[in-house]
Each structure stands twice: as C-alpha cells, then as structure tokens.
Amino acid sequence: MDKIKAILLFGAPGSGKGTQGKMLGTLPGFHHLACGAVFRSIDLNSEVGKVFLTYSSKGELVPDDFTMRLWREYIDKLIHTGALKPENTVLVLDGIPRNVHQAKMLDQYIEVVKLICLRAVHDRDEMVRRLKSRALKENRLDDANEKTIQHRLEVYDAESRPVLARYPGDRRVDVDALQSPIGVAHDILSAILGRFQELHAVPPPPPAMAVKIGSNL
C-alpha cells in the first residue's frame, strides 16, 4: 500500500490541537484522527481490550508496539469501510507520534507533508490556566492540580523535542497557539496553503524558558 499523506499536529496539553484537528477534519480532503479516538474505539471485552486495560487500569502508558498495532488496525478499518480514502485524503494526526520510536514505526505508513507545531511556551501561565479550567469543567479534580499540570508540560517538552528534530525543517511551521481559535485556524490553513507571509509572528519564550526547553520547541 502507498504511504498516506499526513499532517502532524504537535502541541503541549491545552494548546488546542484537538480543536484545530477537528476543524481541519471537516474540510473536504482531510481526515482528522486523534490517538485518543483509537483507544476509545477498543472493545474492552475483547482480547485486545483486556490487554489495554492491564495498562490503563494501573495508570501506565500503553507500550509503543501495542499503540501502533491498534493505530494500524484502526486505519485499516477506516480504509475498508471507505471512511478514509488514502489516494485523495490527507490524514491529520493529533497525539501521535509521541516519541521517536513511534515516529520511526509510522514512517512505513505515512508521508509527512507538513508538521504544524502549536507553540505556547511564551506564556506557560496561560497554558496552566487553560488546563485547570478544562479539568474542573470535566470534573477531573486531580488534573486541576498545578504541580500535575506543570509535570505534564515538562514531559511533553522532553518527549517532543527529539521527535520534532527528526523531521526536515522545511516541513515544520510554528503557530502561536495562544491566539483566538480562529486566528490559530487562519495560520494553520495559511501554512498548509504555503501562504507563509500571512502567518502571525510567534512570540519568543522568556529567556529562562528558552534555555530550559532548547531550540526545537
């Protein structure tokens, strides 16, 4: 099978990549697939579902090999049912790959045509506020803890840096995630269309943050 053309959406928790991915997925010729949707589709009474539960019930991360197996089976089902037509559809991936190992395994299935990085390192306080608000709205009180949120952001920084670094720089476009949702959507579409002169400038991170996260984020 030919590789599926794909756009990767990268962004820290709370950056709005799910919202933007769904928006892109409504446009003809694009199909949005969040990694969470793959996990939610699992029949927990099936053999695969029971394996998944052995990890999720303990709060452990699902191994990469298992994640990719689920992802591949889900993609095959979409193609078989006609929900995804690789010959004329761009896959918008959100939440995968999470690390270099997953990125390498994805290489055999997808051709990354664009990498959109939703940047918010210039105002981490706003990111924390967003995540707190979302957690409280969804009644996930443990996730509203500021230390928990800061840890999630630090894990994202550490995991994403090497993943972003492995893709050619000319495929990557940085977008200010702290604009209004319509402003972010405008910049993402401008990047896809190659109208880079219409992109809004991304504010630089504070000096201390720039040193901490390095140049790839």
Side-chain angles (χ1 to χ4, degrees):
M1 185 182 105
D2 292 337
K3 290 186 179 183
I4 304 171
K5 287 184 169 55
I7 293 172
L8 303 185
L9 280 181
F10 269 87
S15 62
K17 60 184 179 295
T19 298
Q20 297 300 326
K22 288 175 186 174
M23 179 277 296
L24 276 178
T26 65
L27 301 176
F30 292 89
H31 186 101
H32 172 236
L33 178 58
C35 193
V38 176
F39 290 134
R40 287 191 293 272
S41 72
I42 299 172
D43 177 359
L44 297 180
N45 293 315
S46 68
E47 182 182 343
V48 169
K50 289 173 182 175
V51 173
F52 173 73
L53 278 176
T54 61
Y55 294 100
S56 61
S57 63
K58 299 174 186 174
E60 297 176 357
L61 290 175
V62 179
D64 292 337
D65 290 348
F66 188 70
T67 297
M68 291 308 305
R69 174 187 163 192
L70 291 174
W71 183 88
R72 180 64 205 180
E73 289 177 357
Y74 192 87
I75 289 289
D76 286 343
K77 188 183 300 182
L78 290 176
I79 294 172
H80 180 71
T81 60
L84 174 64
K85 298 178 179 177
E87 64 276 8
N88 55 19
T89 302
V90 176
L91 194 59
V92 180
L93 293 182
D94 151 20
I96 191 169
R98 291 186 182 275
N99 55 51
V100 171
H101 188 212
Q102 287 186 3
K104 288 179 178 177
M105 287 191 285
L106 274 176
D107 283 346
Q108 61 185 305
Y109 303 120
I110 65 171
E111 176 192 349
V112 177
V113 295
K114 193 72 68 180
L115 191 158
I116 308 292
C117 188
L118 300 179
R119 288 174 57 92
V121 292
H122 48 288
D123 192 347
R124 274 291 166 88
D125 289 342
E126 172 60 16
M127 292 294 289
V128 171
R129 187 198 66 77
R130 283 188 182 190
L131 288 167
K132 269 187 179 179
S133 176
R134 188 171 76 182
L136 291 171
K137 190 181 297 182
E138 297 174 0
N139 200 32
R140 293 186 288 112
L141 300 184
D142 289 346
D143 287 347
N145 180 279
E146 188 163 331
K147 285 186 178 179
T148 300
I149 291 171
Q150 291 287 3
H151 177 68
R152 288 179 64 197
L153 293 173
E154 288 169 4
V155 167
Y156 169 78
D157 290 343
E159 289 186 344
S160 298
R161 188 181 302 115
V163 181
L164 292 169
R166 77 181 301 273
Y167 292 105
D170 60 356
R171 296 184 199 171
R172 170 177 169 173
V173 178
D174 290 352
V175 171
D176 180 2
L178 299 182
Q179 304 175 79
S180 65
I182 193 67
V184 176
H186 168 275
D187 283 1
I188 289 175
L189 291 173
S190 295
I192 292 170
L193 293 170
R195 291 155 63 168
F196 303 113
Q197 72 279 6
E198 297 183 20
L199 292 169
H200 296 93
V202 180
M209 180 62 72
V211 171
K212 184 177 180 181
I213 65 175
S215 60
N216 283 322
L217 289 176

